[in-house]
Amino acid sequence: MNDKILNTLEFDKILSRMEPFASSELGAEQIRQLKPSTSFEDIVMLLQETDEASAVLRLRGHAPLSGIHDIRPHLKRVKIGGTLNPAELVQVADMIRAGRTVKRFMEDLLENEVEIPILEEKVEGIAIMTPLEKAIRNAIDEGGGVLDSASDALRNIRQQKRRNENKIKEKLDSLIRSRNAQKMLSDAIITIRNERYVIPVKQEYRSNYPGIVHDQSSSGQTLFIEPQAVVDLNNELRELLLRENREIERILIELSGNVEEFALELQTLVNIMGSLDFIFAKARFAREMKATRPDINKNGIIRLYRARHPLIPEDEVVPNDISLGGEYSTIVITGPNTGGKTITLKTAGLLTLMAQAGLFIPVSEGSETAVFQQIYADIGDEQSIEQSLSTFSSHMVNIVDILKKADHESLVLFDELGAGTDPQEGSALAISILDDVSHRGARVIATTHYPELKAYAYNREGVVNASVEFDVESLRPTYKLLIGVPGRSNAFEISKRLGLSDRIIEYAKSLMNAESNEVESMIASLEKSRHEAERKYEEAKAYLEQAEKLHQDLVQHMSDFQKRKQELYEKAEKKAAEVIEKAKTEAEIVIKELRQMRLASGAAVKEHELIEARRRLETAVPLPENDHETARAGKQVRPFEPGDEVKIATLNQKGVLLEKTGEHEWQVQAGIMKIKVAEKDMELIQSEPKKEPKPLASIKGKDYHVGIELDIRGERYEDALQKVEKYLDDALLANYPRVSIIHGKGTGALRTGVAEFLKHHRAVKRIRLGEAGEGGSGVTIVEFQ
């Protein structure tokens, strides 16, 4: 792109507006050098890097780019053996710190899975030069002063210098505080002349203060004398100052040498930081303009939605849709002057240049623009006094040059094509020029006020009419672009509203030929149809927005409801679990106490009863209702009835239904226990009501036929008691009224132990030894309650 087209379309003004968004001179320099690219791949990359920087700004609001300096002159000087001053060394350290800060900032973003590949690649090239930065910081403060810690020699010199200065001040203080000092001295102060401490002595008392005169006042009445008593001390101080300067010079030379060692890394750092500053300046500028990233194509297609000229204030600019290169490759904008035709032309050209420079443009999402190898423009008053050319001639010089160069990869902009000469000849030239450029395959936008060109678009394929709307009521242009509608002069309507008589207006209309009247009527009809279509579109759009809002509200309410429901359910579950946990804890304490009581007093509290009680507590944690339903799905074939045999899931034990105690609750005989169980915690084992009891010998127990006798002869005492306990449970479940325990006679120990156990069993009504026909004292008969 040549500089003339950039200036014509005011691209230079865009760069001037963007420059303040740079954080350093390095970034500002790249902005001033920015030119549109003609490489599709480069443009995509430039837009991508702007997009990545915009994403960073959206996420973090800023990028840490402070402390960037142009240290390129410093690097050149150290390469040829020069020495940097303290301020320059501080700038080098600032640059190293800025690079380290940016790198850490970007790495933090990458850890959060932010996709910024271009920026990631750039910061990977930043070298961490901590040793050099520390060396500079340890030697020089932020203000550029060399610190005592720069070297041991410098620290010692400065300590000696301070001691020397204190001695000088003590001696001089004694002089200015003497009894005659107020009379002999102009002022009781210590000052410095020629880097030596002196006191101001009145001229007439010169002889009272032997020493060296270093200066006098402008009136000659005051002499600045270095008393003889401090001459030697001042000489020593002067020597210390020279030594201090030599040591500082040595330190600066050493630090400059260190900088030279890192010259390559520092040069890379300068390039990267300048590039990052430039990229983030583009992103900040885009945010300021409320600009978006356009899509890029190679097909010469421009689709700009709600495009705004970036140099017109936002509260004044009128957004327009501009489309070119699809169904038509040429747009002819007709209509009166001051209607906004030229602004439309410049907007299309400038936004295309900005996109090809990697800048976001002020358009709506979904817009796209093409990559053009050249953009040509003939815009504005080109009258040249130096060349003694008229406006028409000057325009023709530009157009001739354009026609020599334009091709299928060009965008050509003509403003007031054919103006400045005879209307008939001018319109004919305009048509011929448009045909020639169109045949080359170029994309063309032209403005004109010639009525002959209104019919041009209807007779040419790939050409469309357009106009800028004019409000007849307010007599002002609306600056709204109308694609497909040619412009009207509106002269008759304007004249009528301004007070011109109807008679004159009607006579003027009669002078127009029929063809012109027909064209004007057609345009008026098109405008009316367009206004009606726009009105209906806006109504439909409003209804759609309202429907979308309602849909979003409903989705949000449903989401909130489900979330609240889940929170309440979890809260209830948690509270129930806490209550049960508390009950379990208390139950454990009670069970522990019962065990202690049993051990202490032989109370008849069975171990299996304690285990079952604990199991019931542990399984009492509430489950979601659908879990219980799933447990019983496919197993419940009919309603529960008294006498049904069931399995109690929470106890993993069988039982028999006695009676219904609630809507969904039954009393169940489980062994010797009678407990209340919810229907959801039971499974039906037999599908038919329980039949009449069978003879005792054949009644079925828990899992097998239980006999009416238990033989424990020969068993160990503990094993025998466990068998007795289990046998009693099975016999109770089988509804035996009485059973026999065969323990034999022997020593009588087993008989005594069984009798003692049975006395404390809660289900036993009475026990006795067997009679002669029942086995005598070798058998204990047990009767149940």
Side-chain angles (χ1 to χ4, degrees):
M1 304 292 175
N2 58 61
D3 291 338
K4 182 180 179 182
I5 190 64
L6 299 181
N7 293 331
T8 299
L9 294 176
E10 301 177 300
F11 184 75
D12 56 325
K13 293 183 180 179
I14 293 295
L15 300 185
S16 296
R17 281 192 56 186
M18 185 168 66
E19 190 173 332
F21 290 94
S23 300
S24 69
E25 176 56 28
L26 292 174
E29 181 181 288
Q30 291 196 33
I31 291 173
R32 290 191 294 269
Q33 296 173 353
L34 180 61
K35 303 285 184 184
S37 174
T38 56
S39 166
F40 178 83
E41 291 74 17
D42 289 348
I43 294 169
V44 171
M45 187 273 293
L46 290 170
L47 288 171
Q48 176 62 29
E49 66 183 20
T50 308
D51 195 32
E52 291 181 13
S54 297
V56 172
L57 294 181
R58 283 194 303 272
L59 291 171
R60 297 298 174 89
H62 76 292
L65 294 172
S66 59
I68 300 177
H69 303 285
D70 185 4
I71 61 172
R72 289 173 297 182
H74 313 345
L75 298 179
K76 287 182 180 178
R77 198 154 73 255
V78 296
K79 284 181 180 179
I80 60 175
T83 302
L84 302 182
N85 61 43
E88 291 170 337
L89 288 167
V90 169
Q91 288 184 351
V92 172
D94 286 346
M95 210 41 191
I96 297 172
R97 179 172 58 189
R100 187 180 69 254
T101 302
V102 168
K103 188 163 188 172
R104 187 167 58 245
F105 176 80
M106 292 297 179
E107 288 173 348
D108 180 57
L109 283 171
L110 293 169
E111 287 177 2
N112 294 322
E113 299 183 356
V114 178
E115 294 293 332
I116 47 174
I118 295 177
L119 297 181
E120 179 183 4
E121 183 179 358
K122 285 185 179 294
V123 297
E124 282 179 356
I126 296 177
I128 302 301
M129 295 168 277
T130 305
L132 176 58
E133 182 187 2
K134 284 185 177 180
I136 295 174
R137 299 293 185 196
N138 290 336
I140 303 172
D141 62 25
E142 292 292 338
V146 180
L147 299 169
D148 291 357
S149 57
S151 73
D152 292 339
L154 183 62
R155 181 186 296 108
N156 293 332
I157 291 170
R158 286 182 171 174
Q159 288 175 352
Q160 293 179 41
K161 192 176 76 167
R162 284 190 286 271
R163 287 194 296 268
N164 187 280
E165 287 174 338
N166 290 334
K167 290 180 182 179
I168 293 173
K169 289 177 181 178
E170 287 175 3
K171 288 185 176 294
L172 294 180
D173 278 340
S174 64
L175 292 176
I176 62 177
R177 290 175 182 171
S178 63
R179 187 168 49 190
N180 298 322
Q182 187 173 1
K183 179 177 69 172
M184 298 180 182
L185 300 179
S186 298
D187 201 352
I189 61 171
I190 301 171
T191 186
I192 297 176
R193 289 293 187 275
N194 299 326
E195 298 182 357
R196 300 177 79 87
Y197 286 96
V198 297
I199 56 176
V201 180
K202 294 179 181 178
Q203 173 68 37
E204 57 270 27
Y205 298 108
R206 165 70 181 85
S207 58
N208 294 86
Y209 292 93
I212 302 170
V213 178
H214 286 279
D215 197 5
Q216 66 178 8
S217 65
S218 57
S219 63
Q221 297 301 311
T222 300
L223 300 177
F224 293 95
I225 297 175
E226 177 187 1
Q228 191 64 43
V230 297
V231 169
D232 290 340
L233 290 174
N234 266 330
N235 288 339
E236 291 178 12
L237 180 61
R238 178 65 177 168
E239 177 62 26
L240 289 170
L241 285 172
L242 292 175
R243 288 173 57 194
E244 179 186 27
N245 290 336
R246 285 195 297 269
E247 180 60 18
I248 289 174
E249 182 68 17
R250 187 196 66 78
I251 292 168
L252 296 179
I253 291 173
E254 181 179 340
L255 291 175
S256 299
N258 294 341
V259 171
E260 197 276 330
E261 292 177 6
F262 286 92
L264 184 60
E265 291 87 347
L266 288 169
Q267 184 61 55
T268 302
L269 176 62
V270 169
N271 297 337
I272 293 173
M273 296 302 288
S275 178
L276 289 175
D277 189 16
F278 167 67
I279 292 171
F280 277 97
K282 291 194 296 180
R284 285 190 287 265
F285 183 51
R287 183 170 60 180
E288 174 72 15
M289 288 194 301
K290 298 179 181 177
T292 63
R293 176 182 179 174
D295 293 328
I296 302 296
N297 65 77
K298 301 178 182 179
N299 306 319
I301 296 175
I302 296 175
R303 290 192 183 94
L304 304 177
Y305 302 116
R306 296 188 61 77
R308 296 173 279 116
H309 196 288
L311 298 177
I312 300 177
E314 187 178 357
D315 57 347
E316 297 179 13
V317 68
V318 176
N320 275 310
D321 294 345
I322 303 173
S323 181
L324 180 66
E327 298 178 2
Y328 44 85
S329 59
T330 300
I331 299 176
V332 178
I333 307 175
T334 57
N337 292 330
T338 70
K341 299 194 301 295
T342 303
I343 290 297
T344 302
L345 207 68
K346 286 187 172 184
T347 299
L350 179 57
L351 297 192
T352 301
L353 288 175
M354 290 174 63
Q356 291 190 210
L359 303 179
F360 284 10
I361 56 179
V363 294
S364 294
E365 295 284 351
S367 298
E368 66 175 316
T369 185
V371 177
F372 295 103
Q373 295 303 308
Q374 286 294 340
I375 298 178
Y376 301 102
D378 178 57
I379 298 175
D381 186 359
E382 297 287 346
Q383 185 174 8
S384 174
I385 297 176
E386 293 180 3
Q387 299 179 21
S388 301
L389 297 175
S390 66
T391 300
F392 176 76
S393 300
S394 197
H395 278 294
M396 275 300 111
V397 170
N398 285 338
I399 291 171
V400 168
D401 187 56
I402 291 171
L403 294 178
K404 291 179 181 178
K405 301 174 182 177
D407 58 19
H408 66 285
E409 294 183 314
S410 302
L411 172 63
V412 182
L413 308 172
F414 291 124
D415 187 31
E416 295 296 346
L417 185 59
T421 186
D422 176 76
Q424 187 172 359
E425 292 179 352
S427 61
L429 273 174
I431 292 172
S432 180
I433 292 168
L434 288 175
D435 279 343
D436 185 80
V437 179
S438 297
H439 289 156
R440 296 167 185 255
R443 302 297 185 262
V444 184
I445 303 178
T447 69
T448 181
H449 58 270
Y450 288 138
E452 287 81 3
L453 266 71
K454 295 176 184 178
Y456 174 75
Y458 294 105
N459 301 324
R460 299 294 193 282
E461 184 178 352
V463 183
V464 68
N465 269 321
S467 61
V468 180
E469 189 178 53
F470 188 88
D471 187 356
V472 179
E473 296 297 323
S474 64
L475 301 181
R476 297 181 62 185
T478 64
Y479 303 105
K480 188 173 183 180
L481 182 66
L482 308 175
I483 299 289
V485 180
R488 289 198 293 162
S489 66
N490 299 303
F492 293 147
E493 288 81 357
I494 295 172
S495 299
K496 185 175 181 179
R497 289 189 60 82
L498 292 177
L500 190 64
S501 70
D502 292 342
R503 178 179 57 82
I504 296 175
I505 292 173
E506 290 302 323
Y507 179 66
K509 287 181 178 180
S510 68
L511 296 177
M512 291 182 64
N513 58 46
E515 184 179 348
S516 297
N517 283 324
E518 185 178 346
V519 171
E520 288 296 321
S521 297
M522 177 190 68
I523 293 173
S525 176
L526 284 172
E527 288 187 348
K528 182 178 179 181
S529 299
R530 182 188 59 78
H531 281 298
E532 181 65 19
E534 285 185 350
R535 183 184 64 80
K536 291 182 178 179
Y537 170 78
E538 292 298 330
E539 289 179 358
K541 183 179 179 183
Y543 283 129
L544 178 61
E545 290 176 352
Q546 186 178 6
E548 288 178 347
K549 187 177 184 303
L550 287 173
H551 174 71
Q552 292 173 357
D553 290 344
L554 286 173
V555 170
Q556 184 62 41
H557 286 321
M558 182 59 70
S559 175
D560 293 343
F561 170 76
Q562 292 295 342
K563 183 179 179 181
R564 179 61 177 164
K565 176 183 174 183
Q566 184 64 23
E567 288 176 351
L568 290 174
Y569 182 76
E570 291 175 356
K571 184 177 180 181
E573 271 193 334
K574 182 179 179 182
K575 186 174 181 180
E578 290 174 353
V579 171
I580 292 172
E581 187 63 30
K582 182 179 179 182
K584 286 170 64 178
T585 303
E586 293 176 355
E588 287 292 341
I589 296 172
V590 173
I591 290 171
K592 184 177 180 181
E593 292 175 352
L594 287 173
R595 282 176 175 164
Q596 292 173 349
M597 290 171 60
R598 186 181 69 176
L599 294 174
S601 59
V605 182
K606 295 183 180 180
E607 183 66 24
H608 80 278
E609 292 176 348
L610 299 179
I611 295 172
E612 290 172 355
R614 186 188 301 110
R615 184 183 301 160
R616 289 173 58 198
L617 287 169
E618 289 177 348
T619 56
V621 178
L623 295 173
E625 188 172 345
N626 59 343
D627 288 355
H628 297 299
E629 294 300 325
T630 302
R632 291 180 54 194
K635 296 184 180 181
Q636 186 68 26
V637 295
R638 62 172 176 77
F640 292 116
E641 294 181 7
D644 283 345
E645 189 174 2
V646 295
K647 181 177 181 181
I648 305 171
T650 54
L651 298 179
N652 194 24
Q653 185 172 335
K654 296 179 181 179
V656 178
L657 298 182
L658 299 178
E659 61 178 342
K660 198 168 186 179
T661 57
E663 185 177 358
H664 299 290
E665 186 181 69
W666 289 77
Q667 187 178 50
V668 183
Q669 179 75 47
I672 63 173
M673 299 181 294
K674 292 181 181 180
I675 58 176
K676 292 181 180 180
V677 183
E679 288 183 349
K680 61 184 176 64
D681 295 328
M682 297 186 298
E683 297 177 11
L684 186 63
I685 294 177
Q686 59 184 35
S687 59
E688 297 296 332
K690 188 173 182 181
K691 299 179 180 179
E692 291 297 324
K694 296 180 180 180
L696 293 180
S698 62
I699 294 178
K700 188 176 182 181
K702 285 183 69 177
D703 296 312
Y704 54 89
H705 292 285
V706 181
I708 61 174
E709 296 178 346
L710 173 67
D711 190 347
I712 58 172
R713 286 176 294 183
E715 299 282 348
R716 294 175 63 250
Y717 177 74
E718 291 82 0
D719 296 338
L721 289 184
Q722 288 182 4
K723 286 188 176 181
V724 169
E725 183 178 13
K726 184 177 185 304
Y727 173 71
L728 292 179
D729 289 343
D730 292 342
L732 285 168
L733 189 60
N735 287 326
Y736 289 171
R738 67 180 180 275
V739 293
S740 300
I741 308 296
I742 302 173
H743 41 68
K745 297 179 181 179
T747 62
L750 187 58
R751 179 184 65 224
T752 304
V754 169
E756 187 67 25
F757 175 78
L758 293 173
K759 286 178 184 179
H760 294 92
H761 196 289
R762 65 181 66 182
V764 175
K765 179 179 180 182
R766 188 167 63 88
I767 63 172
R768 63 178 175 82
L769 293 176
E771 296 178 357
E774 296 173 326
S777 60
V779 177
T780 298
I781 307 299
V782 182
E783 295 182 7
F784 296 116
Q785 295 182 0

